[in-house]
């Protein structure tokens, strides 16, 4: 079961977090802020765990991350410019209003074209603190909705922050139109992402995901049949969104259609730290015992 499925959208509201942690001698705390709006045309729900105190650099980094996540519009190409703010409540209110107005317009246009009746265009976004370890805090951003296609969509991406520096430990990717592949940028997670040994760990992780739903042993040939656009199962690409740090280990999640058909869901698995540690950068190793 994916982290995204396990962490379903919670009821919207506004409450102080009961959990607080020590980050470089300063208590880190969050406020859960949520708002929803809906009618027959559109439905929008947004909730965030907004940092309220702690290491200034860490708090600022996480707030910037949340602002960036709420700027995403799945129905538009490219990335909207994020509006940076220190007011989480104002950010959530503005996001709900903008998204609702845009979805309602899409719903009206669909009905004018004769196919939108009975459809409610929707988006539900939750950005929350998943968990933390001795040296890190991991946030997860879940989004799901319906934009009028054959089926809805869902995404689940995460980011791990160093408690000490506030730095994001991971990487960013850019899609190359010519090669039709994602290329990694700003790598702070893996010291050698092309390592054959790391590739084998990834292959076995992907295999374990499919094996959970199959009574027959999945060999390499059968594994390849389960995947899309993967020429060699011994070199399955890293996910477009960097793996995150969790208590179980480094958690990998591939989005819908990234390496497998829609019906396969989000391929996900964990690699224990004792196995993946040799392939991590010094910054990444510093986050785990």
């Amino acid at each position: 079961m994916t982290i995204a499925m396990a962490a379903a959208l919670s009821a919207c509201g506004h409450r102080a977090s009961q959990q607080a942690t020590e980050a470089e001698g300063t208590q880190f705390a969050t406020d859960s802020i949520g708002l929803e709006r809906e009618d027959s045309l559109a439905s929008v729900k947004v909730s965030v765990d907004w940092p309220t105190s702690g290491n200034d650099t860490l708090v600022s980094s996480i707030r910037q991350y949340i602002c960036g996540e709420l700027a995403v519009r799945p129905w538009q190409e490219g990335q909207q410019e994020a509006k940076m703010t220190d007011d989480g409540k104002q950010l959530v209110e503005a996001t709900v209003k903008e998204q609702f107005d845009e979805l309602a317009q899409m719903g009206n246009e669909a009905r004018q074209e004769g196919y939108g009746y009975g459809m409610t265009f929707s988006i539900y976004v939750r950005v929350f603190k998943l968990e933390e370890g001795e040296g890190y805090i991991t946030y997860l951003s879940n989004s799901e909705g319906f934009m009028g296609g054959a089926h809805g969509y869902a995404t689940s991406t995460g980011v791990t922050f160093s408690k000490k520096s506030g730095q994001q430990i991971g990487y960013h990717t850019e899609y190359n139109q010519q090669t039709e592949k994602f290329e990694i940028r700003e790598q702070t997670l893996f010291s050698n992402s092309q390592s054959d040994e790391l590739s084998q760990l990834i292959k076995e992780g992907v295999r374990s995901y499919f094996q959970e739903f199959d009574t027959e042993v999945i060999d390499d040939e059968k594994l390849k049949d389960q995947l899309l656009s993967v020429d060699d199962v011994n070199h399955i690409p890293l996910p477009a969104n960097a793996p995150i740090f969790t208590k179980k280990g480094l958690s990998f999640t591939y989005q819908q259609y990234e390496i497998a058909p829609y019906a396969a869901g989000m391929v996900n698995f964990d690699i224990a730290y004792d196995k993946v540690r040799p392939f991590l950068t010094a910054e990444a190793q510093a986050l785990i015992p």
Side-chain angles (χ1 to χ4, degrees):
M1 178 178 290
T2 67
I3 292 175
M5 294 171 63
L9 283 165
S10 64
C12 292
H14 186 74
R15 61 181 177 80
S17 171
Q18 297 301 312
Q19 296 181 344
T21 60
E22 295 296 325
E24 285 298 290
T26 305
Q27 191 176 56
F28 178 80
T30 63
D31 189 12
S32 294
I33 305 170
L35 185 65
E36 62 181 281
R37 182 180 175 186
E38 61 182 348
D39 62 15
S40 61
L41 285 173
S43 177
V44 177
K45 297 179 183 179
V46 175
S47 65
V48 303
D49 284 349
W50 188 254
T52 55
S53 64
N55 176 323
D56 288 344
T57 305
L58 176 64
V59 167
S60 177
S61 294
I62 295 177
R63 286 180 176 179
Q64 288 182 35
Y65 161 70
I66 294 173
C67 289
E69 289 300 296
L70 296 195
V72 174
R73 300 292 185 268
W75 53 87
Q76 296 177 354
E77 291 186 5
Q79 175 66 46
Q80 289 271 89
E81 183 177 354
K83 300 175 182 178
M84 299 304 170
T85 179
D86 290 326
D87 190 332
K89 185 173 182 291
Q90 184 182 69
L91 173 67
V92 170
E93 290 175 348
T95 299
V96 169
K97 182 182 185 305
E98 291 172 8
Q99 291 184 344
F100 183 87
D101 289 346
E102 292 177 26
L103 288 180
Q105 181 179 349
M106 291 168 60
N108 271 319
E109 291 175 352
R111 292 187 180 185
Q112 290 172 8
E113 294 175 11
Y115 68 88
Y117 294 97
M119 294 182 180
T120 300
F121 288 71
S122 63
I123 181 169
Y124 308 142
V125 181
R126 185 183 178 207
V127 186
F128 62 102
K129 191 184 84 170
L130 177 67
E131 62 179 59
E132 65 183 273
E134 184 176 327
Y136 68 85
I137 290 179
T138 294
Y139 261 67
L140 200 66
S141 177
N142 288 349
S143 177
E144 61 181 275
F146 177 73
M147 305 297 158
H151 51 69
Y153 81 92
T155 63
S156 180
T157 62
V159 171
T160 295
F161 299 86
S162 165
K163 281 186 181 179
K164 182 177 181 180
S165 67
Q167 179 185 18
Q168 291 188 23
I169 303 300
Y171 53 74
H172 296 287
T173 56
E174 294 180 3
Y175 188 73
N176 187 318
Q177 295 287 352
Q178 294 183 333
T179 62
E180 297 183 344
K181 293 181 179 180
F182 284 97
E183 297 179 351
I184 293 177
R185 301 283 189 270
E186 302 176 31
Q187 173 75 265
T188 58
L189 180 59
F190 295 112
S191 56
N192 180 9
S193 60
Q194 303 300 317
S195 165
D196 289 340
E197 292 84 356
L198 177 60
S199 293
Q200 286 301 304
L201 290 177
I202 293 172
K203 180 179 79 169
E204 294 311 315
V206 173
R207 192 200 310 275
S208 70
Y209 174 81
F210 288 102
Q211 189 65 72
E212 183 180 352
F213 307 101
D214 201 319
T215 56
E216 298 181 10
V217 175
I218 297 181
D219 57 19
D220 284 7
E221 183 177 354
K222 190 170 182 179
L223 177 61
K224 189 175 187 304
D225 290 339
Q226 300 275 9
L227 303 177
L228 293 173
S229 304
V230 175
D231 300 324
D232 183 358
V233 294
N234 290 306
H235 293 90
I236 298 173
L238 287 169
N241 296 98
I244 56 177
F245 288 70
T246 72
K247 294 175 183 176
K248 292 182 179 180
L250 201 62
S251 180
F252 292 66
T253 299
Y254 292 86
Q255 303 304 304
Q256 292 173 341
Y257 294 114
E258 190 172 347
I259 61 169
Y262 176 84
M266 298 183 198
V267 177
N268 69 97
F269 55 89
D270 302 314
I271 299 180
Y273 291 124
D274 60 346
K275 292 183 178 180
V276 76
R277 184 189 293 270
F279 311 106
L280 301 179
T281 63
E283 299 99 315
Q285 291 187 34
L287 303 191
I288 53 180

